[in-house]
Amino acid sequence: MPPIPALSYDEAQKVYDDIDRSFHLTPERLFELTKSFLHEFSIGLREYGHPMAMIPTFVTGVPNGSETGTFLALDLGGTNLRVCEVVLNGDKTFSLRQQKYKVSESLKTGEAEALFDYLADSVDAFLTTHAASAYTTKEEEDVVHLGLTFSFPVEQTALNSGKILTWTKGFSAKNAVGRDVVQLLQEAFDRKHMHVKCIALVNDTVGALLCRAYTAGGCLLGAIFGTGTNGAYVEEVAKITKLGNHPAAAKGGYMIVNTEWGAFNNSRSHLPSTPFDNTLDRLSINPNFQAFEKFVSGMYLGEITRNILTALVDAAPKPLVFGGKSTSVLNTHYGLDTSVMSEVEDAWEGPHRSYSAEQTAPDFSTFDEEKLPPNIRTKLERIRAVTVKQLGFQDSDVTLKDAAIVRWVCSLVARRAALLSGVAVATVLIQTGYASFPDQDGVFSPRASTEPILIGVDGSLIEHYPNFQRTLRESLRCLVGEEVEKRVDIGMAKDGSGVGAALSALQSLKQGHR
């Protein structure tokens, strides 16, 4: 018996329609997802040990742009580490000097002491050769304060303390798990008699929030929409009931919470899973984890697109794209990068959608190149060129119809990601009281404030993917109403892991850590 193909059909157009429908998100579905998001927020604020971790960061204030000072930042997140010097000018501007240093495989897998000694050596080398300021005094009041961005799982117990839970990204340094990462780094500084003090531990979403707050005068939410996705926002301490008897709970006020929203709905009970998503998850290195991230982030969108295209190639009784031909790019797991999708969208040019604007799939069964309007033909010719170049086809293998299908698939996947990103942002606005759901008649209550709601973002999707932010805002308008959506001021918070770490050191000083 022959193998059952990925897609079999009697009528080709029904295949396109079914795929299109499975990626379509109705307003009702968006509301349902937002309510589920809020529910997971509530659970995570109440109890430890849930996928939506809602991690207290112990950062209890944000800068307003008037702060001054010189701070160091150390950013360890993978093969490279960065040392940065950030000078805050007190007028919402700053200057940044930085240097990258390579972490060898032996350091990643050797003794923790050797790794942290190397981090300290790198800071020392930077201070000696790259820093703009002179760090020569040994007086205690002139100690150099440093913030650490540590992109590995930690259980943070204070702004300047956090235990390493596990290593990821190819690191497995011995005798580190279970120990305080700030203490490990400080001990390395002390062994070398360096006048540097690590006083803050931060993750990149918190860094994005702090960075945007400094340059804009305030910020509610820091969010990453890039290779991964996550968000951190300013929450009332009284709502973080899992703090229990922690001194931070008694102080009250506000605290930044790192949501870890990439793990929203790991059970996939609400997320709009398709067979293409299920394939991606099943073959991933972390099945059943980081579910929301797999629908939204740049690491995965290209793979979802590849899964759809290969299913259309393999369809029976006849292939539905590329005449049944494939390439090494399409045949390779993660062979199609999300940047190719962005290039396809760029080739289409401009904000005006053609095929993707429709609520159902284009009628590919009656596609006729000869009847295409000249402007559409020109757009599809550009997409055909991108497809040939980036997917490794011969020029004769790709028709304009194929180009139209490629563009439609890319648009489906990216649009869904942007709409879901809007769900995450809307959840924060509703959780913090800046917005509310409409009433039973679909009417949004007028809001008393007209002040802008400041959000800091970073990541390749939000910065570079055409129409991503526009579609995110479309989702926001649906969920919180046009009046609130217009007040949302989304600004790039570039280099949150560098500048944000320095700003976390500033905040740590404000909170009395020295």
Side-chain angles (χ1 to χ4, degrees), residues 6 15 100 138 146 154 203 240-241 259 336 424 486:
V15 175
K100 288 184 179 179
K138 295 294 181 183
L146 178 141
V154 297
N203 98 328
I240 315 172
T241 54
T259 67
L336 198 162
K486 283 185 174 178

Side-chain angles (χ1 to χ4, degrees), residues 70-72 127 135 140 142-146 195-198:
T70 300
F71 298 89
L72 291 181
L127 292 176
Y135 301 100
E140 176 61 32
D142 290 323
V143 67
V144 183
H145 294 109
L146 178 141
H195 213 48
V196 177
K197 182 116 183 239
C198 182

Side-chain angles (χ1 to χ4, degrees), residues 254-453:
Y254 293 85
M255 182 186 292
I256 297 176
V257 171
N258 167 20
T259 67
E260 292 295 336
W261 71 33
F264 166 65
N265 198 216
N266 276 348
S267 67
R268 294 176 177 248
S269 57
H270 291 80
L271 284 167
S273 285
T274 69
F276 314 106
D277 299 296
N278 294 340
T279 298
L280 181 145
D281 183 56
R282 177 170 50 81
L283 298 177
S284 69
I285 60 171
N286 57 346
N288 304 315
F289 288 94
Q290 294 298 100
F292 185 70
E293 187 164 78
K294 288 171 180 170
F295 284 77
V296 166
S297 74
M299 180 173 181
Y300 301 105
L301 301 187
E303 180 66 2
I304 299 169
T305 298
R306 188 187 73 86
N307 286 344
I308 299 172
L309 290 175
T310 53
L312 292 172
V313 168
D314 293 339
K318 290 183 178 180
L320 294 175
V321 72
F322 306 134
K325 294 183 179 179
S326 192
T327 66
S328 61
V329 172
L330 283 181
N331 293 340
T332 301
H333 198 207
Y334 288 92
L336 198 162
D337 192 81
T338 302
S339 62
V340 176
M341 298 168 61
S342 183
E343 196 171 339
V344 167
E345 196 70 24
D346 271 328
W348 184 258
E349 282 190 353
H352 301 296
R353 293 183 176 269
S354 176
Y355 294 117
S356 65
E358 301 184 26
Q359 295 303 304
T360 56
D363 187 356
F364 290 122
S365 62
T366 59
F367 187 95
D368 187 344
E369 290 188 14
E370 300 303 319
K371 294 182 180 179
L372 289 172
N375 64 320
I376 300 297
R377 186 181 187 89
T378 300
K379 291 171 184 287
L380 292 179
E381 287 284 9
R382 286 195 295 262
I383 292 171
R384 193 175 77 85
V386 171
T387 303
V388 168
K389 178 184 175 183
Q390 298 294 0
L391 301 190
F393 282 105
Q394 295 296 315
D395 195 63
S396 58
D397 293 337
V398 183
T399 66
L400 290 187
K401 179 180 177 180
D402 293 331
I405 291 171
V406 167
R407 200 267 162 161
W408 162 69
V409 171
C410 290
S411 182
L412 276 185
V413 174
R415 177 174 171 78
R416 186 186 66 171
L419 290 173
L420 289 172
S421 299
V423 166
V425 175
T427 299
V428 170
L429 296 180
I430 295 169
Q431 170 70 21
T432 53
Y434 283 88
S436 58
F437 288 118
D439 62 23
Q440 290 183 332
D441 297 320
V443 177
F444 291 93
S445 301
R447 313 299 296 184
S449 176
T450 58
E451 291 294 310
I453 302 168

Side-chain angles (χ1 to χ4, degrees), residues 30-329:
L30 293 174
F31 280 115
E32 176 192 326
L33 284 162
T34 307
K35 288 172 183 174
S36 181
F37 231 114
L38 283 163
H39 178 65
E40 289 202 29
F41 266 32
S42 174
I43 293 172
L45 290 170
R46 189 170 66 241
E47 302 167 351
Y48 288 97
H50 291 275
M52 185 90 88
M54 305 300 284
I55 300 167
T57 67
F58 303 95
V59 178
T60 56
V62 297
N64 61 21
S66 65
E67 296 83 356
T68 59
T70 300
F71 298 89
L72 291 181
L74 179 62
D75 175 17
L76 178 65
T79 303
N80 292 316
L81 69 94
R82 285 189 312 148
V83 183
C84 310
E85 178 189 62
V86 180
V87 180
L88 306 174
N89 300 320
D91 59 357
K92 300 183 180 179
T93 68
F94 59 82
S95 59
L96 171 71
R97 298 171 75 91
Q98 63 177 322
Q99 185 66 28
K100 288 184 179 179
Y101 300 88
K102 191 168 182 63
V103 182
S104 68
E105 292 303 314
S106 60
L107 285 171
K108 291 180 184 179
T109 58
E111 284 292 328
E113 186 172 303
L115 173 63
F116 282 89
D117 277 347
Y118 178 71
L119 301 186
D121 284 337
S122 299
V123 173
D124 193 30
F126 177 85
L127 292 176
T128 304
T129 60
H130 290 90
S133 304
Y135 301 100
T136 55
T137 178
K138 295 294 181 183
E139 298 301 320
E140 176 61 32
E141 59 266 25
D142 290 323
V143 67
V144 183
H145 294 109
L146 178 141
L148 170 65
T149 297
F150 188 72
S151 299
F152 301 91
V154 297
E155 180 184 336
Q156 197 155 349
T157 52
L159 178 47
N160 61 347
S161 178
K163 290 182 180 178
I164 302 173
L165 295 176
T166 184
W167 288 111
T168 57
K169 305 175 187 175
F171 280 69
S172 57
K174 301 174 184 65
N175 299 312
V177 172
R179 297 178 66 185
D180 187 329
V181 62
V182 174
Q183 186 179 343
L184 284 167
L185 180 59
Q186 190 58 51
E187 288 173 353
F189 289 145
D190 294 345
R191 278 193 295 273
K192 298 179 182 303
H193 307 289
M194 294 172 61
H195 213 48
V196 177
K197 182 116 183 239
C198 182
I199 58 173
L201 174 64
V202 72
N203 98 328
D204 55 358
T205 52
V206 178
L209 192 158
L210 294 174
C211 188
R212 171 72 164 145
Y214 184 79
T215 57
C219 187
L220 171 68
L221 166 67
I224 308 297
F225 298 108
T227 304
T229 185
N230 190 17
Y233 74 101
V234 181
E235 179 61 280
E236 294 177 50
V237 171
K239 291 183 180 179
I240 315 172
T241 54
K242 67 182 178 184
L243 287 173
N245 296 323
H246 193 286
K251 288 183 180 179
Y254 293 85
M255 182 186 292
I256 297 176
V257 171
N258 167 20
T259 67
E260 292 295 336
W261 71 33
F264 166 65
N265 198 216
N266 276 348
S267 67
R268 294 176 177 248
S269 57
H270 291 80
L271 284 167
S273 285
T274 69
F276 314 106
D277 299 296
N278 294 340
T279 298
L280 181 145
D281 183 56
R282 177 170 50 81
L283 298 177
S284 69
I285 60 171
N286 57 346
N288 304 315
F289 288 94
Q290 294 298 100
F292 185 70
E293 187 164 78
K294 288 171 180 170
F295 284 77
V296 166
S297 74
M299 180 173 181
Y300 301 105
L301 301 187
E303 180 66 2
I304 299 169
T305 298
R306 188 187 73 86
N307 286 344
I308 299 172
L309 290 175
T310 53
L312 292 172
V313 168
D314 293 339
K318 290 183 178 180
L320 294 175
V321 72
F322 306 134
K325 294 183 179 179
S326 192
T327 66
S328 61
V329 172

